[in-house]
Amino acid sequence: MEMLSTSQDRPEGLRERKKARTRAAIRQHALRLFRENGYQRTTVEQIAAAAEVSPSTFFRYFPTKEDLVLQDDMDTRMIEAFGRQPSDLSPLGAVRAAVREMFGSYTQADLDTLTETTALTLTVPEVRARAMDEFARTIGIIAEALAKRSGRPADDLAVRTTAGAIIGVMMSLTMPWEGWSSDRQAIEDLFQHIDQALALLEAGLPL
């Protein structure tokens, strides 16, 4: 009797895993080259060659060099965790639980990478500028997740406003960039502050 294949063994599952490995490899080689040569002196062509992909393949995964620093799997982890939260939680309660679950899933290697990319965001002007676009992109991702949970369209005013408020909380704690550190303890403290700030948002922002 033929065994039923799991979704991970189906062609689409294999393709997605291959894409994830390629994306991770490109990012890993890029961060190594940034450490060795500096961000500005590292070219897309050098990164592509190190990862054994073409420059056109590089741009299919990352629209710009700055996106290598900014686009990690944090959104994916959080949205997947958000989908696992019980239905009796409020949307903001589910977001808070998802953020805690997401951060709890980080290994030491993940935290080391996050520390490194945070340092680049703080110190490289091009990455800092691109971070604003990343915040805008994340609003759309969160809006989609909130829409699915609430049964409303992603462009619903309440959905979009809630998504914007969540990102606004995060921006309020990470900007301005001056004055905060990228060491591991600082990042752990930042996630605690994000949870506290989301709790204030959930409570109606009492002053």
Side-chain angles (χ1 to χ4, degrees):
M1 180 177 177
E2 184 180 7
M3 296 289 290
L4 292 175
S5 63
T6 66
S7 61
Q8 288 188 335
D9 294 326
R10 293 172 185 161
E12 60 270 23
L14 294 172
R15 281 195 299 270
E16 288 305 312
R17 291 208 301 279
K18 183 178 179 182
K19 287 163 107 175
R21 286 195 298 269
T22 300
R23 181 183 178 86
I26 293 171
R27 196 164 189 260
Q28 182 180 21
H29 284 291
L31 292 176
R32 175 181 59 79
L33 290 170
F34 295 160
R35 287 193 298 271
E36 293 174 355
N37 306 322
Y39 180 86
Q40 281 84 2
R41 290 191 296 272
T42 301
T43 67
V44 167
E45 289 75 18
Q46 289 170 333
I47 296 167
E52 299 183 343
V53 300
S54 67
S56 61
T57 297
F58 172 96
F59 287 116
R60 284 203 297 271
Y61 286 91
F62 298 99
T64 70
K65 190 171 76 168
E66 291 73 34
D67 290 318
L68 277 165
V69 178
L70 296 168
Q71 292 187 13
D72 51 25
D73 66 346
M74 186 182 292
D75 293 345
T76 301
R77 292 193 196 201
M78 193 184 83
I79 295 305
E80 288 178 352
F82 181 76
R84 290 190 289 269
Q85 302 311 311
S87 58
D88 59 340
L89 280 179
S90 69
L92 282 167
V95 169
R96 290 181 63 202
V99 170
R100 289 194 295 267
E101 183 178 327
M102 177 267 296
F103 186 67
S105 73
Y106 276 21
T107 64
Q108 188 60 52
D110 293 329
L111 286 174
D112 289 342
T113 299
L114 184 58
T115 299
E116 184 175 7
T117 55
T118 301
L120 287 167
T121 303
L122 293 173
T123 58
V124 178
E126 303 96 300
V127 180
R128 291 172 62 174
R130 182 68 175 173
M132 294 303 298
D133 293 328
E134 186 64 9
F135 278 128
R137 186 184 71 87
T138 307
I139 290 175
I141 292 173
I142 292 177
E144 290 286 349
L146 291 170
K148 182 177 179 181
R149 185 179 181 90
S150 65
R152 299 187 183 194
D155 61 355
D156 178 87
L157 180 62
V159 168
R160 190 77 185 178
T161 300
T162 302
I166 291 167
I167 293 302
V169 162
M170 296 181 181
M171 290 177 69
S172 73
L173 296 174
T174 56
M175 298 176 68
W177 304 106
E178 291 78 11
W180 68 272
S181 170
S182 61
D183 63 65
R184 285 192 292 273
Q185 186 58 54
I187 289 175
E188 290 179 10
D189 292 343
L190 173 63
F191 275 93
Q192 291 181 357
H193 292 155
I194 287 173
D195 181 63
Q196 294 167 358
L198 288 172
L200 287 172
L201 182 60
E202 188 177 17
L205 298 177
L207 288 175

